[in-house]
């Protein structure tokens, strides 16, 4: 089958056949295999048949990219609704984040009556700890006439997952699975300071690195000969190796923003690496300058430095950058002129920008708590960006490790083909509980039985019960202690024996402490008689305690060792059995207990009564995220009493997360500080009830560190002035301010009918949503200029990659660089 001039693969044909039969379909295939073609076919089919389709994505950047792609082809038939942007919201094809889709289901499911298909891109996000529950709720509660197209990288437990999904969806679901990549990957390790090898070289290189380290410590140096490197090991530096082997362009993943910038700068300003010809350098700078003018970022900081990087074919991309600058980088990367892009892992999600090779700066990353090795799913998601279909015959993946500290077992578990199964993260928020309670009342507890969590927990409980049964049988078969004395329970006797023995040892230990104290207190010669008297008294007590041991039936018994060993074995097995039973009980009861706990909090706060939502409950049900704090403040009159700038400061204090490592200018506005004190008092009431009813996640207090920056921005300061109020990356300012806008819009929707408050909220939004914060403006600019800035296909030119002979002087300078 051919579609859009391409001959489709087997799995694509199978998925399209399922769509033509009007069934749901789950497609799992490696990154870069061509899953997007299936979504594009579904969109085109629905447009031809005048049916509506919704395309959901896990991140706004992916929603924006898909919107631009579809808009370029279908124009005004495409719309987008995210927390940042609303364009053509009643279009036939609607792009949105999964959260918006879930919210629509709860708010007004009638709006979905004419929707034929919903496309879930990156469905494995159901495994995400913080957001996975949104995917699960969407699949459970979406109207039953809706069919789903679920796209994902490989899911090992695809059959159990589909069984669950089929249990909550009435329409047939077809599984389409593809395990083979169209462009196969070669996986390598880059041993820092040594060269390129594979996992089989880890032990040898670790020994070599440790030997080299010991030699450097000796003075004079140890003359013991160094072990030779393996014969099949390539001694080289990484970047020259990529150039020499024609394996550019490259996506170089770093797990810190600082690492992205420093690596790029080190290559350009430290080694003067040049990856472009003069003509290509001029071309990329021309495109960059045009895009900077287009997005009005010519005067932004770091633009001149960024221009220098790009002139060498090098750039970086991370969440701390201005969204407009990130979009510029993305567009330049698709032109094929950026040869080396240092980026964080967010670049790996969904965005269709493959490269010839992928490099991991490390296989470890900081996850907010501590450093850990990547999960196999994370590794394969990112490494899947290597290998451009139709351009490369092989994609190359390199993972940098420090050989002296390499953990062979951990590294093998990361790069293996064995990917972790997806796990449910079902965790109903207060707003979800209120929406479901309004519809189902006390039957809300039955809702949990529909979840993937319950589906997986049934399997876990069944496995635990099998273990419990086996453990119980083993306990029954174990030989019991047997006492030689008639009428004595040997098990109880042996326990009593060791309990009394421990008590005696403890008492004797205390008496020895007394002996030390007596000796210390009676050092003088005239105190000798007192010392002897007191020591004799203590010694008599010790003798009496020792005689007590002789009265034990077990003392000196020839069966003591046998009874002890049997008793220990039984106690160990009983403890394991107790833990298994406790685990089984917890798995079965905890989700229900959490729903019950949150319902009790809502009832005591005045959100529900009987099975009815009270006004507070109805309001909170229409706010997704921070719903309890915001509803309490709305009903306490804070939003009426505060001015627009003050509301914006309060909102940023609610949505901000603590970041102790960043400087913030302290807030000195006495009125606002008094307001925040009163707000924290309201939150403390919520926290008290959550603690009382054992809610797992406690509502956080205000985080005021960004308030001075928000106050200045709300009053009209320029964006580049914000650094005076907080040392924060530009992208973090934009993202946080956009989150405030999203929450203000939700409050506005929840307060329908309150005209004066809605007008005030609109003014609040207008004060924030300007300049680079205005996401809709950014998207409109991109939409209007798609054709004007189309890049030339430089990959077909004779000067594609590599662009310089590795023997040239500039490349030789780079040989010392350890990426």
């Amino acid at each position: 089958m051919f579609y859009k001039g391409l001959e489709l693969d087997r799995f694509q044909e199978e998925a399209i056949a399922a769509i033509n039969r009007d069934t749901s379909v789950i497609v799992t295939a490696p990154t870069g295999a061509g899953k997007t073609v299936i979504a594009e076919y579904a969109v085109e089919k629905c447009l031809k048949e005048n049916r509506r389709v919704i395309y959901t994505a896990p991140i706004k950047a992916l929603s924006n990219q898909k919107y631009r792609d579809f808009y370029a082809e279908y124009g005004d038939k495409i719309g987008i609704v995210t927390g940042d942007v609303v364009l053509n919201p009643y279009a036939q094809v609607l792009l949105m984040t999964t959260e918006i889709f879930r919210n629509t289901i709860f708010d007004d499911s009638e709006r979905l009556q004419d929707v034929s298909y919903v496309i879930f891109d990156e469905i494995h996000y159901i495994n995400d700890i913080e957001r996975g529950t949104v995917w699960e709720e969407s699949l459970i509660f979406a109207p039953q006439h809706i069919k789903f197209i679920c796209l994902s990288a490989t899911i090992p437990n695809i059959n159990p997952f589909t069984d669950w999904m089929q249990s909550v969806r009435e329409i047939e679901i077809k599984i389409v699975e593809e395990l083979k990549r169209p462009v196969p990957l070669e996986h390598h390790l880059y041993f820092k300071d040594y060269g390129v090898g594979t996992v089989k070289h880890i032990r040898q290189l670790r020994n070599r690195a440790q030997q080299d380290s010991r030699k450097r410590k000796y003075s004079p140096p140890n003359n013991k000969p160094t072990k030779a490197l393996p014969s099949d090991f390539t001694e080289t530096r990484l970047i020259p190796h990529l150039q020499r082997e024609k394996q550019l362009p490259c996506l170089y993943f770093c797990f810190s923003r600082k690492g992205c910038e420093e690596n790029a700068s080190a290559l350009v300003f430290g080694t003067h690496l040049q990856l472009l010809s003069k003509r290509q350098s001029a071309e990329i700078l021309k495109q960059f300058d045009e895009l900077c003018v287009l997005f009005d970022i010519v005067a932004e900081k770091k633009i001149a430095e960024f221009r220098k990087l790009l002139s060498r074919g090098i750039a970086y991309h991370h969440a701390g950058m201005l969204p407009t600058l990130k979009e510029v980088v993305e567009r330049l990367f698709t032109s094929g002129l950026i040869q080396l892009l240092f980026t964080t892992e967010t670049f790996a999600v969904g965005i269709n920008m493959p490269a010839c090779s992928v490099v991991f700066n490390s296989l470890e990353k900081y996850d907010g708590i501590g450093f850990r090795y990547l999960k196999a799913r994370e590794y394969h998601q990112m490494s899947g960006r290597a290998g451009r279909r139709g351009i490369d015959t092989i994609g190359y993946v390199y993972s940098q490790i420090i050989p002296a500290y390499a953990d062979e077992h951990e590294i093998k578990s990361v790069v293996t083909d064995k990917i972790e199964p997806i796990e449910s993260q079902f965790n109903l928020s207060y707003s979800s509980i209120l929406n479901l309670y309004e519809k189902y009342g006390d039957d809300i507890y039955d809702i949990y039985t529909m979840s993937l969590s319950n589906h997986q927990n049934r399997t876990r409980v069944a496995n635990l019960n099998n273990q419990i049964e086996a453990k119980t049988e083993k306990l029954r078969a174990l030989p019991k202690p047997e006492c030689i004395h008639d009428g004595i329970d040997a098990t109880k006797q042996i326990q009593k024996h060791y309990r009394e023995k421990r008590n005696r040892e403890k008492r004797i230990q205390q008496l020895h402490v007394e002996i030390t104290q007596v000796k210390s207190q009676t050092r003088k010669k005239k105190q000798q008689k007192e010392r002897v008297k007191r020591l004799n008294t203590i010694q008599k007590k010790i003798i009496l305690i020792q005689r007590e041991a002789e009265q034990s039936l077990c003392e000196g018994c020839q069966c003591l060792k046998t009874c002890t060993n049997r008793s220990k074995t039984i106690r160990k097995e009983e403890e394991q059995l107790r833990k298994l039973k406790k685990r089984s009980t917890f798995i079965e009861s905890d989700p229900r207990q959490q729903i019950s706990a949150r319902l009790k909090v809502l009832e005591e706060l005045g959100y529900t009564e009987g099975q009815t939502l009270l006004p507070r409950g109805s309001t909170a049900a229409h706010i997704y995220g921070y719903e309890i704090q915001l509803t309490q403040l709305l009903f306490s009159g804070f939003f009426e009493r505060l001015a627009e700038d003050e509301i914006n400061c309060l909102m940023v204090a609610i949505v901000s997360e603590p970041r102790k490592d960043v400087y913030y200018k302290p807030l000195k506005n006495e009125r606002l500080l008094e307001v925040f004190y009163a707000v924290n008092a309201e939150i403390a009431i919520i926290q008290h009830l959550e603690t009382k009813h054992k809610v797992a996640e406690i509502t956080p207090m205000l985080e005021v560190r960004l308030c001075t920056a928000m106050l200045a921005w709300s009053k009209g300061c320029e964006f580049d002035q914000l650094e005076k109020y907080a040392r924060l990356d530009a992208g973090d300012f934009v993202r946080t301010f956009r989150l405030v806008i999203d929450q203000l819009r939700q409050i506005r929707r929840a307060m329908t009918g309150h005209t004066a408050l809605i007008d005030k909220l609109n003014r609040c939004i207008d004060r924030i949503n300007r300049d680079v914060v205005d996401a809709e403006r950014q998207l409109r600019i991109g939409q209007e200029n798609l054709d004007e800035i189309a890049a030339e296909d430089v990959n077909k030119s004779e000067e594609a990659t590599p662009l310089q002979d590795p023997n040239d002087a500039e490349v030789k300078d780079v040989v010392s660089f350890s990426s």
Side-chain angles (χ1 to χ4, degrees):
M1 176 181 177
F2 282 84
Y3 177 66
K4 291 188 174 181
L6 299 173
E7 184 177 1
L8 298 184
D9 294 335
R10 174 203 58 81
F11 83 95
Q12 294 168 325
E13 290 184 358
E14 282 188 30
I16 286 173
I19 293 168
N20 288 334
R21 294 196 306 269
D22 272 343
T23 65
S24 293
V25 60
I26 298 178
V27 182
T28 71
T31 303
K35 297 184 291 293
T36 304
V37 170
I38 297 164
E40 291 171 351
Y41 179 86
V43 168
E44 185 177 292
K45 184 174 187 289
C46 287
L47 284 170
K48 287 179 180 177
E49 297 173 358
N50 200 29
R51 295 190 290 174
R52 290 189 70 204
V53 59
I54 290 175
Y55 193 118
T56 78
I59 58 174
K60 293 171 185 175
L62 181 53
S63 295
N64 293 345
Q65 185 199 41
K66 300 309 297 183
Y67 170 76
R68 288 192 294 266
D69 292 345
F70 285 133
Y71 185 86
E73 189 165 359
Y74 302 114
D76 290 338
K77 292 182 179 180
I78 310 299
I80 182 170
V81 179
T82 67
D84 298 333
V85 178
V86 179
L87 292 175
N88 199 11
Y90 299 101
Q92 194 174 345
V93 180
L94 202 56
L95 283 297
M96 58 174 61
T97 57
T98 314
E99 278 83 356
I100 296 293
F101 178 65
R102 187 276 311 271
N103 299 352
T104 305
I105 294 170
F106 284 151
D107 282 344
D108 186 8
S109 62
E110 291 297 316
R111 290 168 54 192
L112 303 173
Q113 286 307 308
D114 59 347
V115 173
S116 177
Y117 268 104
V118 171
I119 298 166
F120 271 170
D121 206 349
E122 311 286 355
I123 185 64
H124 54 265
Y125 253 76
I126 204 168
N127 196 63
D128 186 81
I129 293 175
E130 293 182 357
R131 300 173 59 209
T133 186
V134 175
W135 275 258
E136 203 162 333
E137 292 171 41
S138 299
L139 289 169
I140 294 171
F141 302 115
Q144 285 294 340
H145 74 276
I146 290 178
K147 300 173 285 293
F148 284 92
I149 298 171
C150 300
L151 308 177
S152 175
T154 305
I155 301 177
N157 54 336
I158 183 62
N159 289 315
F161 175 79
T162 308
D163 289 343
W164 163 73
M165 188 171 163
Q166 189 69 78
S167 73
V168 296
R169 307 301 307 169
E170 294 174 359
I171 295 173
E172 177 194 348
I173 302 169
K174 167 71 174 176
I175 296 176
V176 175
E177 195 170 13
E178 175 60 63
L179 301 177
K180 184 180 178 181
R181 282 181 54 89
V183 180
L185 298 182
E186 281 187 7
H187 296 266
H188 303 275
L189 297 179
Y190 174 63
F191 296 84
K192 190 173 185 295
D193 297 329
Y194 289 92
V196 174
T198 61
V199 291
K200 70 180 182 180
H201 297 123
I202 293 176
R203 194 168 300 175
Q204 292 169 279
L205 267 293
R206 184 176 61 231
N207 295 338
R208 166 69 182 264
Q210 291 172 349
Q211 183 184 9
D212 289 345
S213 177
R214 287 193 295 270
K215 289 185 72 172
R216 286 191 293 269
K217 290 180 181 178
Y218 291 116
S219 183
N222 184 350
N223 292 322
K224 185 177 179 181
T226 303
K227 290 183 180 179
L229 291 169
S231 58
D232 57 348
F233 182 84
T234 305
E235 191 171 3
T236 182
R237 301 290 174 176
L238 185 54
I239 302 304
H241 176 78
L242 296 178
Q243 273 193 302
R244 193 165 49 246
E245 299 298 322
K246 298 181 173 58
Q247 293 174 7
L248 296 174
C250 168
L251 285 176
Y252 197 121
F253 287 108
C254 303
F255 297 112
S256 76
R257 301 171 183 181
K258 187 177 180 181
C260 290
E261 297 188 18
E262 288 182 347
N263 273 316
S265 297
L267 279 175
V268 172
F269 301 109
T271 65
H272 308 292
L273 176 66
Q274 174 58 269
L275 299 177
L276 298 178
S277 67
K278 288 183 179 180
R279 184 185 67 78
Q280 289 175 315
S281 181
E283 175 62 24
I284 196 170
L285 291 179
K286 177 176 177 291
Q287 290 188 28
F288 179 66
D289 292 342
E290 290 174 351
L291 289 167
C292 286
V293 171
L294 178 66
F295 288 105
D296 193 23
I297 57 173
V298 175
E300 293 294 335
K301 290 189 174 183
K302 294 191 175 182
I303 291 297
E305 178 185 333
F306 212 91
R307 198 174 187 276
K308 177 72 171 176
L309 296 177
L310 286 171
S311 70
R312 304 298 183 98
I314 298 169
Y316 57 82
H317 180 288
H318 60 68
M321 297 165 59
L322 277 174
T324 42
L325 182 55
K326 283 201 299 180
E327 182 168 339
V328 168
V329 173
E330 290 163 15
R331 292 190 179 209
L332 291 175
F333 190 78
T334 59
S335 75
L337 291 169
I338 293 179
Q339 298 299 295
L340 185 57
L341 181 64
F342 293 93
T343 181
T344 52
E345 60 192 301
T346 53
F347 202 82
V349 181
I351 299 176
N352 185 27
M353 296 186 186
C356 179
S357 60
V358 160
V359 172
F360 291 87
N361 193 53
S362 172
L363 289 177
E364 295 180 84
K365 74 172 193 175
Y366 184 75
D367 61 4
I369 300 174
F371 284 92
R372 65 166 175 83
Y373 275 88
L374 296 177
K375 294 179 180 177
R377 176 174 296 283
E378 294 170 319
Y379 172 81
H380 285 282
Q381 177 78 31
M382 288 181 268
S383 64
R385 293 293 162 201
R388 297 161 298 175
R389 190 168 187 175
I391 299 175
D392 302 314
T393 55
I394 296 175
Y396 302 91
V397 183
Y398 297 88
S399 302
Q400 175 172 272
I401 63 173
I402 300 175
Y405 305 103
D407 187 319
E408 185 175 3
H409 173 74
E410 290 283 5
I411 292 170
K412 284 182 177 179
S413 67
V414 172
V415 302
T416 181
D417 288 334
K418 189 176 181 181
I419 298 174
E420 303 88 357
I422 59 174
E423 299 285 346
S424 170
Q425 306 297 333
F426 193 66
N427 179 27
L428 293 176
S429 64
Y430 284 110
S431 59
S432 294
I433 287 175
L434 286 165
N435 278 289
L436 295 172
Y437 194 64
E438 182 178 34
K439 185 174 182 179
Y440 298 103
D442 287 337
D443 290 337
I444 188 174
Y445 296 105
D446 295 333
I447 295 300
Y448 170 68
T449 63
M450 301 170 64
S451 68
L452 174 61
S453 173
N454 183 63
H455 189 81
Q456 292 179 331
N457 282 343
R458 285 203 304 268
T459 303
R460 293 190 185 101
V461 169
N463 290 335
L464 285 169
N465 287 340
N466 289 336
Q467 292 179 53
I468 289 169
E469 186 177 338
K471 188 70 68 177
T472 303
E473 286 298 318
K474 184 177 179 181
L475 262 171
R476 289 197 192 102
L478 286 174
K480 308 293 188 295
E482 295 179 358
C483 189
I484 59 175
H485 302 281
D486 293 336
I488 300 296
D489 186 325
T491 301
K492 290 182 179 179
Q493 179 59 36
I494 200 74
Q495 291 173 351
K496 177 184 176 184
H497 169 74
Y498 282 106
R499 184 171 59 251
E500 291 176 347
K501 183 179 180 180
R502 286 192 298 272
N503 289 336
R504 288 194 297 271
E505 289 172 348
K506 187 176 180 180
R507 286 155 58 197
I508 289 173
Q509 188 178 16
Q510 291 170 344
L511 289 171
H512 280 297
V513 172
E514 286 186 37
I515 288 173
T516 303
Q517 291 173 344
V518 168
K519 289 180 178 179
S520 176
Q521 295 166 0
T522 57
R523 291 177 179 174
K524 297 180 181 179
K525 192 171 183 180
K526 63 180 180 180
Q527 295 175 312
Q528 189 171 1
K529 287 185 179 181
E530 181 187 352
R531 174 193 287 197
V532 172
K533 182 179 178 181
R534 290 172 65 181
L535 290 178
N536 285 340
T537 301
I538 295 172
Q539 194 61 42
K540 287 178 182 178
K541 291 180 181 179
I542 292 174
I543 292 169
L544 287 173
I545 293 171
Q546 290 172 339
R547 285 177 180 172
E548 289 177 12
E550 298 172 1
Q551 299 174 12
S552 171
L553 294 177
C554 296
E555 192 68 26
C557 178
Q558 61 184 3
C559 297
L560 178 61
K561 185 176 181 180
T562 301
C563 289
T564 299
N565 290 338
R566 289 181 177 182
S567 180
K568 283 182 177 179
T569 302
I570 290 172
R571 285 203 308 275
K572 181 180 177 182
E573 294 296 326
E574 286 176 340
E575 177 62 19
Q576 291 176 357
L577 181 60
R578 185 190 67 78
K579 288 180 179 178
L580 288 172
K581 288 180 177 178
K582 183 179 179 181
R583 177 66 180 160
S584 178
T585 301
F586 176 81
I587 289 174
E588 287 188 293
S589 62
D590 184 66
R592 293 172 180 269
Q593 288 176 354
Q594 284 300 307
I595 294 173
S596 175
R598 295 200 174 201
L599 278 172
K600 289 174 183 175
V601 170
L602 291 168
E603 184 178 7
E604 293 195 36
L605 286 173
Y607 286 62
T608 63
E609 184 177 353
Q611 295 189 22
T612 305
L613 296 194
L614 299 177
R616 287 177 190 248
S618 297
T619 299
H622 290 86
I623 300 174
Y624 300 94
Y626 317 99
E627 58 267 30
I628 298 300
Q629 304 101 300
L630 292 174
T631 301
Q632 290 296 97
L633 300 183
L634 283 165
F635 278 78
S636 297
F638 282 90
F639 282 79
E640 280 80 4
R641 295 195 297 272
L642 297 177
E644 286 82 354
D645 296 332
E646 293 171 330
I647 288 175
N648 288 341
C649 283
L650 174 58
M651 291 298 298
V652 83
I654 289 173
V655 307
S656 294
E657 296 181 357
R659 290 189 60 175
K660 308 301 182 187
D661 58 334
V662 178
Y663 165 78
Y664 297 85
K665 186 174 182 179
L667 180 68
K668 295 181 179 179
N669 185 309
E670 292 296 331
R671 171 174 159 78
L672 271 175
L673 288 172
E674 288 180 10
V675 168
F676 290 167
Y677 181 82
V679 171
N680 274 333
E682 290 273 356
I683 295 175
I685 295 171
I686 301 171
Q687 290 182 337
H688 169 73
L689 292 174
E690 289 173 329
T691 303
K692 171 185 172 183
H693 295 296
K694 299 181 180 179
V695 173
E697 297 177 11
I698 304 298
T699 299
M701 289 288 187
L702 297 180
E703 174 53 64
V704 302
R705 294 180 173 226
L706 260 184
C707 289
T708 51
M710 172 57 89
L711 190 60
W713 180 252
S714 186
K715 289 183 175 181
C717 84
E718 296 296 322
F719 189 81
D720 60 4
Q721 294 177 328
L722 290 175
E723 64 182 15
K724 296 189 298 185
Y725 305 97
R727 292 201 186 104
L728 209 63
D729 286 339
D732 290 328
F733 279 121
V734 173
R735 186 168 50 258
T736 305
F737 290 175
R738 286 178 177 178
L739 182 56
V740 170
I741 293 169
D742 185 13
Q743 290 301 136
L744 287 169
R745 286 172 173 167
Q746 290 195 46
I747 298 170
R748 183 179 64 185
R749 188 181 65 249
M751 301 307 292
T752 301
H754 298 264
T755 307
L757 180 55
I758 288 175
D759 289 343
K760 180 184 280 191
L761 292 172
N762 284 332
R763 293 193 295 274
C764 291
I765 293 169
D766 289 342
R767 287 172 182 264
I768 307 173
N769 197 31
R770 57 186 176 84
D771 197 17
V772 294
V773 176
D774 188 347
E776 188 171 312
R777 170 180 169 271
Q778 178 185 339
L779 192 58
R780 283 189 183 278
I781 290 173
Q783 169 186 315
E784 293 166 0
N785 293 273
L786 282 170
D787 296 329
E788 298 176 15
I789 59 171
E792 294 181 6
D793 186 4
V794 296
N795 291 313
K796 294 180 181 179
S797 75
E798 61 183 10
E799 294 181 298
T801 57
L803 300 153
Q804 189 168 350
D805 191 299
N807 294 316
D808 286 356
E810 285 190 320
V811 177
K812 289 181 179 179
D813 289 341
V814 187
V815 174
S816 62
F817 174 71
S818 176
S819 58

